[in-house]
Amino acid sequence: MGKSRNTRRERDADTVVETVDGGLAQLVPDRDRARAWTLLIDGAPQSHVDLDDPGHLSFEYQRRLGHVIDLVAPAGRPLHAVHLGGGAFTLARYVAATRPRSTQEIAERDAALVRLVRRELPLDPGARIRVRSLDAREGLAKVPDGWADLVVADVFSGARTPAHLTSTEFLDEVRRTLRPGGVYAANIADGPPLAHLRGQIATAAARFAELALVADPTVLRGKRFGNAVLVACDLPLPTAELTRRAASDPHPGRVEHGRALRDFTGGAAAVADASAVASPAPPPSVFR
């Protein structure tokens, strides 16, 4: 594998190409940042990492998750964080950079991807980040009750979120790991007619008292396929500050919460394991 990888590197001008469990992984150098890389799996962008500046979040949805991380606790306070889906460990690196002494767990089932990222984009050895090559629900099962301040779900297999990570039973396990007042945040991908997104909001509403949704207005209007960040907690969320931050992003986002979010859900039913399906596949045009 090493020989063929080096050959591909030379041909692709420093792009690292390697087969992982989930498909063909590519680490593409960022021409504008000396030690920054974009991870793609089968052509679908997964993560962007700047090793010199892990506080830099390039992807739109990751910036929105970064806002959530910033607002979970006062600035600089260490967190106990669980990341379901590892990618290139972008958000765990962000937490480590912005909240030193945080303790973090990553569950990423693609063991070959974990090895690739560890080798090519090594973690700071001083960061308290443990990576387990496990399915998200298996990884959650290893987290003690009430341990986490934050659980982030960003899991995609073949550009789709697996069905067993979309249900009330899955959220029951998330709630078990969260401390009182802890926050759950999920990256959800959907397009018109937004049936999956509405179902995921209803599912979270069945388990959490307070919700907020951050997304591009065109996605919320069902005009195009895209990502939305769903935030859930049992205590009031900092929606005013989240709204301000999302609106000031390079690609401004809109925050829905309260009555407007309930209306947006449109009577969708919560999803159980028995009826769960994977999120819809994005149209090919999304990654062109």
Side-chain angles (χ1 to χ4, degrees), residues 32 65-67 74 115 135 151 155 208 210 262:
D32 297 323
L65 286 168
H67 297 326
R115 290 193 296 270
D135 171 80
V151 174
V155 186
F208 291 93
E210 300 289 335
R262 290 193 296 273

Side-chain angles (χ1 to χ4, degrees), residues 9-25:
R9 258 194 170 196
E10 181 180 347
R11 191 182 73 190
D12 294 342
D14 294 327
T15 293
V16 180
V17 182
E18 190 159 313
T19 300
V20 296
D21 300 339
L24 188 68

Side-chain angles (χ1 to χ4, degrees), residues 105-124:
E105 298 266 353
I106 298 175
E108 170 54 66
R109 69 177 302 170
D110 193 327
L113 176 62
V114 169
R115 290 193 296 270
L116 171 65
V117 173
R118 281 190 179 278
R119 185 184 71 232
E120 301 292 341
L121 309 175
L123 288 165
D124 179 346

Side-chain angles (χ1 to χ4, degrees), residues 44 46 154-166 187-190 196 225 276-283 287:
Q46 301 288 324
D154 184 17
V155 186
F156 289 87
S157 175
R160 303 178 71 184
T161 300
H164 69 293
L165 305 181
T166 68
N187 176 29
I188 301 170
D190 200 9
H196 175 73
F225 195 97
V277 296
S279 66
F287 304 125

Side-chain angles (χ1 to χ4, degrees), residues 18-274:
E18 190 159 313
T19 300
V20 296
D21 300 339
L24 188 68
Q26 296 172 279
L27 287 172
V28 181
D30 185 333
R31 300 306 179 193
D32 297 323
R33 289 176 169 261
R35 298 181 67 226
W37 302 79
T38 298
L39 169 68
L40 300 93
I41 304 291
D42 287 340
Q46 301 288 324
S47 302
H48 180 278
V49 169
D50 188 333
L51 297 179
D52 288 334
D53 182 11
H56 172 76
L57 298 176
S58 178
F59 285 9
E60 182 180 296
Y61 85 87
Q62 288 181 333
R63 285 181 63 87
R64 290 168 185 159
L65 286 168
H67 297 326
V68 175
I69 292 167
D70 292 344
L71 297 173
V72 164
R77 178 184 292 177
L79 297 178
H80 284 181
V82 177
H83 303 268
L84 307 178
F89 314 153
T90 303
L91 291 170
R93 298 174 200 265
Y94 181 83
V95 172
T98 61
R99 296 180 177 277
R101 303 182 309 283
S102 290
T103 303
Q104 303 183 75
E105 298 266 353
I106 298 175
E108 170 54 66
R109 69 177 302 170
D110 193 327
L113 176 62
V114 169
R115 290 193 296 270
L116 171 65
V117 173
R118 281 190 179 278
R119 185 184 71 232
E120 301 292 341
L121 309 175
L123 288 165
D124 179 346
R128 302 175 183 178
I129 301 173
R130 181 175 185 176
V131 185
R132 300 177 187 266
S133 296
L134 293 172
D135 171 80
R137 276 175 76 159
E138 292 174 351
L140 267 181
K142 295 184 177 296
V143 178
D145 292 2
W147 181 84
D149 299 293
L150 173 69
V151 174
V152 177
D154 184 17
V155 186
F156 289 87
S157 175
R160 303 178 71 184
T161 300
H164 69 293
L165 305 181
T166 68
S167 66
T168 50
E169 290 91 339
F170 164 66
L171 289 186
D172 286 337
E173 187 67 4
V174 169
R175 282 186 60 91
R176 180 192 64 76
T177 67
L178 284 172
R179 65 164 178 79
V183 172
Y184 170 66
N187 176 29
I188 301 170
D190 200 9
L194 300 178
H196 175 73
L197 178 58
R198 298 181 206 278
Q200 288 304 286
I201 297 167
T203 303
R207 293 297 183 266
F208 291 93
E210 300 289 335
L211 304 180
L213 186 74
V214 193
D216 186 298
T218 60
V219 172
L220 292 178
R221 291 197 298 268
K223 299 295 185 181
R224 68 171 179 88
F225 195 97
N227 297 82
V229 169
L230 178 62
V231 189
C233 184
D234 280 334
L235 297 179
L237 291 164
T239 52
E241 180 61 15
L242 187 60
T243 298
R244 187 191 69 77
R245 293 184 180 219
S248 64
D249 278 341
H251 299 283
R254 192 170 85 208
V255 175
E256 296 286 9
H257 61 96
R259 174 68 180 272
L261 187 56
R262 290 193 296 273
D263 290 346
F264 175 82
T265 307
V271 176
D273 273 346

